[in-house]
Each structure stands twice: as structure tokens, then as C-alpha cells.
Amino acid sequence: MATPVGSSGSKQMSLPGKKRRFLSRSDEEVVEEMDMELKYRQGWPTLPNLPLLTEYGNTEEYFGEHFHTAHIPTIKSILESQRVEHFLVTPCHRVHTGCEPDELTATLLVLSSVGSGSWFHAIKEIRKYLAGQALDIAIEFIDRRAYGGLSSFTILPSETKIINFWLMIWERIRTVLNSSGQPWSTVDVLYRGLGGTREECFPTIIISTSTPSDTAWRTGIIPAIRQISLPHLHVELLYGCFVACVDERDGDKAGRVLTIKSFQNVLSMGTSCGPQDGGGSGTLGGAITLHRGEQNLGTFALTNGHVIRSQRYDDAILGNQAFSPEHPLAQDRSLVVRAPSDGDLNVRLAVNAGLVENYTRVIDGFEGDPVKNEPPKFSLRLKVEMGQTSKIPLLEKQEKEKKSLEQESSMMENFDRDIGTVYAASGYRKTSYQAHGTTYQHCGLDWALIRLGGRQMYNLIEATAQDIKCPFPIGRSANMWGKPELGGMVAKRGRTTDWTVGELNAIESVVVGSEYGGEISCIPILGKKGPFADLGDLGAVVLEVPVGQMPHELKWVGLLFAAAEVTNIGYMIPMDLVVADIRNITGCDVVEPEEVGTTN
């Protein structure tokens, strides 16, 4: 199996061996090894699939000393002789997320423009020059508009020709993928391209995989899919994974932004939550009131099932089974959920402890660190004691701020964060879903209800640190639910990224979730300005952004349960499907929020 570029997961060829292999290449061999498949990105040898990070560390080890002064002028002369426009010419490492730079990621990166001069001849001449200098590094030319990722736009519901064509060919593409022997993570259909408008881009099938560098994709799988989809749909292969679970990488980001407001008796939509006996964190979506017949069972908080998972929970049920209110762990109320989560609290406490240490060093001084060439520093307190009265206000200010942080940490540690216990959950199940004249097979379910204890929760749009990004009036109620309108605008408040706005795509996405034992369908949400969701946002309620006048009650249309980092897409379960499954598993009616059209 191929490993990501820069990964230490497999034994890589040594640098001397790599040089012996490539430096003696003939012109014909160099041309044969050049990567000219895409108009907007070309180079030598075969380039790793996007997206890639650009890192600038360890340049001397891989590029030699004084690379900029010794070689960049000559390289630029080659570019100019081939009339290639260049905005950036630099040595760097091009690596996949989570990987470390190595000899195979050392790259000469050239940001240019498609159609500017002869990229082919420029790459060939630069390769010849570098080989003559005993420099064996990759060469990547990329249009500057594609450097941060291609532009993406949704498929609109009115584009029935594209939608119907996709429905007609999907099973054939699915067969190609599943018979290939290669893992794949997501299949999305969007407009993609270099342009800034939908009209300048082309409808494209986007496939993500953890093994894009495997030759099977380039030589067999992608050509077979293109044979099916062209000329109506282009095909793009990306490196990436479907994320439908809690991921430790998001912990620091969310924990650092915790505020005192997160430690109040009234819970907010979008706040942090997690299990008592687990290390995961997610988002508390909103409040639901259940009735069984005439009996009011009270208020429950909605989130994802994977957010509340703990070892006890996993040991008690199988992942594809529902967790009903009759389960012994639900009956004895032993699966405790906390808000904020343990992970987020620990991060915030660590941040505060670091700040307190800094204040202590300023107030009381420190001996210095010879290893870091750090000289001893006299304390503010000592300076005041020695008669520097002008330092008194600063000393008092520093002591006050230190004490405030210590008090904040003490309050956070001692606050009772238990909000209730797990009442019911969907498990990783699949079901069919009918909407907009189409039956979606294998829709994934991932919800959980938390029976609230002493803390309350209301479905209100509350003031946050990022109110400027919120598309709704502060204080507006969000106590209705209904079917999503594909092509419509939506928004969510999540624990990590707060408020984000996106657009519902008219073509469902198909993703592979190991927890579900295979493929599931879901509704993709394309972020309007950057990603719609980060990993810690999962569990958030997705709200409809109305066109025209803002209604008195905002509408829930989905539950965010997954994200794909490579495409700015969040994935949601339709809220009508969530509500129907809650009724099925609990035997209860959801009376709040109310279904649109049922209010007297």
C-alpha cells in the first residue's frame, strides 16, 4: 500500500541512493517521468495529489547551502527564456497533512499562471540544470489560483441534467471503485475550477483516498471512471479521509477558546460536550422536548452518538445497534455527559497555567537558563523594593491579572460540569430516505439524546465571540424543524469554529465509514468562506438561513455528523430523518422544536 508523501510509515530510499537513481536520467527518461496530466499543475517526477502543505524547514539539509543565491537566479532565467510568468520560485517541502518532510518531499515550487509560456520546456530545462548541480529535488509548477485549492460551487437543484446523469452512472462508478482493491473515502459532485464563479468551473466528481499515489489510480481506476463520466463530468482525485468521529487533533483549538460563559447553568447551542469516561469532545446541538402520550418527559440535549461514546458505552452495545431508553445503562443513568468536555477543560487549564507561570516570572523574577542563553532577570517586586516606585502600578497590574487567572482556573476546575446522562442513541445504522423525488439509500444515522439534569438549555441564538459571523439576530428563537431545501443556505454554531455559513448541494455525497461497515449517503454542505466545519463541530444543529425576511422562529434542517477536511464540506443527516428515528427508538414524540406547518 502506498503511503502519504512524507510519511515515515514505510522505509524510504536513502538520499544517496535516490540521487544515484535519478541524477543520471536521460532527457527521454526525464520527459517520460514528467507529470503533465493537469493543465494547472505540472512537474517532475509524478507529483503527489493535492492537497499539500508547504513547509520551509530543513532547507539546507535537502537543498544545500545558499540555494537561493546560488541557483534561483539561473532558474528564473530559464523561466523567463520560456516566457513563464512566475510569482514565487522557492525551495520547500510539499507534504500531506500529518506527515514529516523528507528527501522525497524536497521540491522546487513555482507559482505561475496556466497558459503562461511553455511549462513543459521550462520543467525539462530546470531539471537538466539541477541534475548538473547534483540536486535531485522534485519540480512543481502550479497555477497560483490552485495553490490554496480549486474553487468549489454547489450543484443547484435546477440542474436536472447533471443530477439525472449522475444518478444514471453512479452504480457503474461505484462498481469500479469497489472492485479496484484501493480504499476510498468520499465521493462528492461539485463545480470545480480556477475561476471565481460557477460558470467558470466544471461539474466534477471528487474522489478522496488515502492512497492516491498508488499507480492503480492513475493507470486504471481514474481512466475507467472518466470513460463513464466524460464529457458531462470531470474527475478529480484528492488525498484525504472521511472524518465521522472525534479526532484528537481538534482538542487544543477548541479548548483554548473556552470562556467563563461555558461554565454557566444555562447551556448554549453549540457548546462543548463529552463523556465523563472518554477523551472525546463534540458539540451540543440543541434542546428537544419529548412526550410519551400525555406525559412530558422533559428536556433532552441533541448531539452525535459518537460524541458521547465512552468505553462503558462501547462495551455495552454493538456499534450498529440502537441504544434505547430501556437499556440498563440508560435506566440507571450511569453514562454521564459533561459540558464543557474533560478534554477542553484540560486544555484551557494548561493554557491558564502557562500564563500564570509567565506572570510569576515577571513578578518574582527567574534565574535564567544558560542553555537558552537566557540571562537572570530581576523581578518587578525586587525592583520596587529597591526603590523603583514607578514600577508599582505595573506590579499591581501583573499581580491582579495573575490572581484573576488563578481564580478563573479554580472556578473552572470546581464547577459541576455534569449535564445529564445518555438517554438514547441511534448507533451506526443505515436507513433509506425520500426527499425531492429521490430515494437516498443507506443514509447514515448518528444521533444521541442526553437527559438533562440540573442545567437548562434553550434554543436561542446567543451572543458569542464571533457574532459578526452569525447570520441571525441575537436572541432569535430556533424552535422549529423541517425538511432541508437543497441549494439553500444554512448555518451552524460549533464548538471549534463557532458560526459558519454554507450551501446544501443538490447531489448527495457517498462516504465510507468504517463504523457503518461500508458506504453511507448524506447531504453535503459546502462552506461559503472556508470550511463549513472542523472536527470538533460535529453534533451541531444545522439551521436554515431564510431568504428575505427573517422569521420569528428559525428552522432546524439537519444534524452535522461528519466533515471532509480536503473539500471544505460538512456532512449532515436531514432533521426529519433524525426526528423520525428518535420516535422509532424512544417511542416518544418530539414536541419541541415543532415541525414546520403544525403550529396552531
Side-chain angles (χ1 to χ4, degrees):
M1 179 179 292
T3 56
V5 173
S7 170
S8 58
S10 65
K11 188 175 180 180
Q12 306 286 1
M13 183 183 297
S14 68
L15 186 55
K18 183 168 177 279
K19 287 183 177 180
R20 286 194 297 271
R21 177 180 175 182
F22 287 121
L23 287 178
S24 61
R25 288 309 213 206
S26 67
D27 287 350
E28 291 77 12
E29 288 173 319
V30 168
V31 170
E32 188 176 314
E33 294 164 348
M34 286 171 61
D35 189 338
M36 307 300 290
E37 181 178 352
L38 302 174
K39 290 183 178 180
Y40 60 83
R41 184 171 180 255
Q42 299 174 356
W44 178 93
T46 301
L47 299 174
N49 289 71
L50 296 174
L52 293 166
L53 301 176
T54 303
E55 297 188 6
Y56 296 97
N58 300 323
T59 55
E60 289 189 2
E61 179 181 352
Y62 297 103
F63 300 93
E65 294 184 5
H66 314 300
F67 185 93
H68 276 278
T69 56
H71 303 296
I72 293 297
T74 302
I75 293 169
K76 286 184 176 180
S77 294
I78 295 172
L79 294 171
E80 288 159 7
S81 70
Q82 297 297 331
R83 298 184 179 181
V84 174
E85 191 175 17
H86 52 87
F87 303 99
L88 177 69
V89 182
T90 186
C92 63
H93 288 275
R94 297 281 277 161
V95 298
H96 285 134
T97 300
C99 299
E100 295 295 327
D102 60 24
E103 63 267 24
L104 298 181
T105 65
T107 304
L108 175 71
L109 178 65
V110 178
L111 297 192
S112 184
S113 295
V114 169
S116 148
S118 173
W119 284 15
F120 174 84
H121 289 99
I123 293 168
K124 180 181 173 183
E125 290 302 312
I126 291 172
R127 166 59 193 159
K128 184 176 181 180
Y129 167 76
L130 291 175
Q133 303 298 313
L135 290 167
D136 191 50
I137 59 176
I139 303 167
E140 179 183 356
F141 282 38
I142 185 169
D143 189 289
R144 60 175 178 171
R145 294 169 293 177
Y147 179 64
L150 296 179
S151 299
S152 298
F153 299 92
T154 58
I155 306 295
L156 300 176
S158 58
E159 297 178 287
T160 54
K161 183 178 179 180
I162 297 174
I163 296 171
N164 290 335
F165 180 71
W166 170 251
L167 293 174
M168 182 177 67
I169 68 171
W170 161 239
E171 283 302 324
R172 294 170 62 193
I173 292 174
R174 178 176 176 271
T175 299
V176 171
L177 290 170
N178 290 340
S179 63
S180 68
Q182 290 296 316
W184 57 279
S185 304
T186 63
V187 176
D188 306 290
V189 183
L190 298 168
Y191 280 93
R192 295 275 281 179
L194 298 175
T197 65
R198 183 180 278 105
E199 291 70 27
E200 296 175 281
C201 299
F202 202 87
T204 302
I205 302 168
I206 309 161
I207 302 169
S208 68
T209 174
S210 59
T211 63
S213 60
D214 194 294
T215 55
W217 287 102
R218 187 175 293 242
T219 60
I221 305 169
I222 296 304
I225 293 175
R226 284 181 176 144
Q227 196 169 20
I228 297 170
S229 66
L230 289 175
H232 302 295
L233 292 170
H234 287 183
V235 182
E236 180 182 1
L237 184 68
L238 297 177
Y239 167 76
C241 299
F242 166 66
V243 179
C245 59
V246 177
D247 194 299
E248 294 179 356
R249 288 174 293 166
D250 75 316
D252 281 5
K253 185 175 180 181
R256 288 177 179 276
V257 298
L258 276 184
T259 65
I260 291 294
K261 191 173 181 181
S262 300
F263 297 82
Q264 295 180 351
N265 286 326
V266 177
L267 297 163
S268 300
M269 298 179 74
T271 198
S272 158
C273 69
Q276 181 185 38
D277 300 324
S281 302
T283 293
L284 211 56
I288 283 181
T289 301
L290 295 182
H291 281 192
R292 180 175 286 125
E294 298 299 318
Q295 182 185 9
N296 183 349
L297 299 185
T299 302
F300 300 77
L302 177 67
T303 186
N304 290 145
H306 74 254
V307 169
I308 53 84
R309 286 177 62 182
S310 62
Q311 192 61 54
R312 289 193 66 200
Y313 178 90
D314 287 347
D315 290 344
I317 65 169
L318 296 175
N320 59 354
Q321 292 182 339
F323 180 79
S324 76
E326 285 71 40
H327 194 283
L329 291 180
Q331 291 288 314
D332 66 18
R333 305 190 182 193
S334 59
L335 297 177
V336 177
V337 179
R338 289 174 166 172
S341 68
D342 290 346
D344 286 350
L345 172 65
N346 291 337
V347 169
R348 183 63 203 182
L349 290 177
V351 169
N352 280 8
L355 294 173
V356 167
E357 182 180 353
N358 289 339
Y359 280 120
T360 301
R361 286 160 65 91
V362 172
I363 294 169
D364 296 321
F366 56 90
E367 296 180 356
D369 187 342
V371 176
K372 298 179 181 178
N373 293 320
E374 192 177 64
K377 185 172 181 178
F378 290 112
S379 68
L380 269 177
R381 195 187 313 280
L382 182 59
K383 290 177 181 179
V384 169
E385 291 173 354
M386 293 173 63
Q388 296 186 35
T389 57
S390 61
K391 302 290 186 181
I392 293 176
L394 179 58
L395 174 61
E396 292 175 343
K397 181 175 182 290
Q398 297 282 304
E399 289 179 325
K400 182 179 179 181
E401 291 175 353
K402 175 186 173 182
K403 183 177 181 180
S404 176
L405 280 170
E406 291 172 333
Q407 290 175 337
E408 179 182 90
S409 294
S410 176
M411 186 281 295
M412 289 180 173
E413 275 192 289
N414 295 315
F415 183 81
D416 183 4
R417 293 177 292 114
D418 294 355
I419 63 170
T421 58
V422 179
Y423 177 74
S426 63
Y428 294 113
R429 294 165 36 244
K430 307 176 189 178
T431 187
S432 60
Y433 174 67
Q434 291 187 340
H436 312 286
T438 302
T439 299
Y440 299 95
Q441 300 293 342
H442 309 300
C443 286
L445 292 166
D446 186 12
W447 59 264
L449 289 178
I450 304 160
R451 185 200 302 266
L452 294 180
R455 296 172 74 179
Q456 298 174 312
M457 188 174 193
Y458 305 102
N459 296 322
L460 296 173
I461 306 301
E462 298 184 11
T464 71
Q466 301 184 36
D467 292 342
I468 192 170
K469 295 167 57 178
C470 179
F472 308 115
I474 302 302
R476 188 60 52 102
S477 175
N479 229 12
M480 304 291 290
W481 69 264
K483 287 189 174 184
E485 295 294 330
L486 300 185
M489 299 294 294
V490 294
K492 71 98 186 74
R493 183 191 171 198
R495 138 187 180 268
T496 305
T497 60
D498 211 277
W499 285 106
T500 56
V501 176
E503 187 174 352
L504 298 179
N505 196 39
I507 293 180
E508 67 172 339
S509 290
V510 181
V511 303
V512 177
S514 59
E515 298 90 348
Y516 294 90
E519 304 154 28
I520 57 172
S521 301
C522 47
I523 296 179
I525 311 167
L526 180 64
K528 293 299 289 182
K529 295 181 179 179
F532 183 76
D534 207 337
L535 305 180
D537 296 322
L538 308 185
V541 165
V542 179
L543 301 172
E544 180 181 79
V545 178
V547 177
Q549 185 175 2
M550 190 68 61
H552 293 296
E553 290 284 354
L554 300 174
K555 183 171 75 172
W556 299 19
V557 294
L559 180 65
L560 185 69
F561 82 110
E565 297 175 280
V566 300
T567 52
N568 291 346
I569 290 177
Y571 298 104
M572 79 172 197
I573 309 165
M575 189 53 64
D576 51 322
L577 184 58
V578 173
V579 171
D581 201 54
I582 288 174
R583 289 174 181 151
N584 177 44
I585 299 304
T586 67
C588 300
D589 293 320
V590 175
V591 297
E592 286 187 3
E594 295 182 75
E595 183 178 3
V596 171
T598 60
T599 305
N600 294 328

